Amino acid sequence: MNELQLAQLLGINQPSPIHPLCPNWQGIENINLLVKRDDLLHPIISGNKWRKLKFALLQAVQQQTQHIISFGGGFSNHLHALGYCCHKLNIQFTAIVRGDYSSNLSPMLQDLVKWKTNIQYVDRQTYQERNSPAYLSQLIKHSPKACIIPEGGSQQAALKGVGEILQEITQPIDYLILPVGSGGTLAGLVANTNNPMYQLIGIGVLKGQDYLESLVQALLPNPHTTTAQWHIEHDYHFGGYGKSPEPLKQFCSDFTQNTQVPIEPVYSGKMFFAIQALIANQNFAPGSTVLALHTGGLQGAR
Ligand SMILES: *Cc1c(COP(=O)(O)O)cnc(C)c1O
């Protein structure tokens, strides 16, 4: 199987479209706002999770991997996307989930059950070990043929698939903006930028000043020679990961009504809120083109 056949088998619509966006925001007339709709890549395999998983899945299929193990929270877009892919590709999937949801399955976990995922609930302390070599070698001892994919699908193998986003952007832009959770998507864009004509701006969706930057750095190839200009904004996490206070929820529903583009409060809502604030604060030079990457994630809002 090659990459085209894999995308076809899973029903991926790549490339994703780019279109202008004109929400009723203060100062919007001073810039060109565009959105790249990675949320439309697939109804289930959410936006950036496809980008990050593509080549890991291709390798799994080519090497006839029988079993994949990965990690996430009870509403994880990553586990959802990977669970669906494994189901379609006939690969056994084990999801290690933070917290015990066994008596109260989220819609995401109900889908995993439907897709025959082996779900293992672990406490927070155990979940903390998800990247530790000792814990991982224990897992491999129990399942010697399994391939382990880290939380969020963020690993070096994810960078190439994320780089395809840049190949699909054919018009000149000045800023490319995206939400940042585990850093894999931003790292993929940084690693694959060889023309620093635009700035990459990540919007941190959790309290993670320095921490998020270190995640991105750790994923970059070493030695790494990108000329990308990038930074992360830390003022728009709304109290932390998964926190969605009323003003943010209101912003999301107003935005969706106003633009017909669906967003949710965990990732894209925080990103668009940040873009609105950055425009109001005149952060972007007048006349500049700002491209927002809609990374999907709408299942998590169920
Ligand atoms: C996982 C996810 C992100 C975060 O991407 P990272 O590569 O982990 O930084 C952003 N948006 C959505 C919708 C996601 O599901």
Side-chain angles (χ1 to χ4, degrees), residues 46 48-49 52 77 154 179-186 264 267 295-297:
S46 185
N48 67 337
K49 299 308 182 285
K52 292 195 280 183
N77 294 324
S154 290
V180 179
S182 62
T185 310
L186 180 54
E264 46 67 53
Y267 296 104
T295 45

Side-chain angles (χ1 to χ4, degrees), residues 99-161:
D100 184 357
Y101 292 82
S102 53
S103 59
N104 187 17
L105 295 185
S106 64
M108 188 285 281
L109 290 165
Q110 291 171 24
D111 284 342
L112 289 189
V113 169
K114 198 168 74 193
W115 300 327
K116 313 272 190 301
T117 299
N118 166 30
I119 303 175
Q120 292 180 10
Y121 298 105
V122 299
D123 59 27
R124 282 169 182 275
Q125 224 171 345
T126 309
Y127 194 82
Q128 289 269 326
E129 299 298 311
R130 65 193 177 277
N131 295 320
S132 94
Y135 177 72
L136 295 176
S137 66
Q138 196 68 19
L139 277 182
I140 283 295
K141 219 187 249 169
H142 282 281
S143 311
K145 294 207 165 140
C147 155
I148 298 177
I149 295 183
E151 179 185 64
S154 290
Q155 52 182 348
Q156 291 219 336
L159 304 182
K160 182 177 175 191

Side-chain angles (χ1 to χ4, degrees), residues 265-278:
V266 181
Y267 296 104
S268 51
K270 290 178 180 177
M271 174 185 68
F272 280 110
F273 189 97
I275 295 174
Q276 178 198 40
L278 292 169

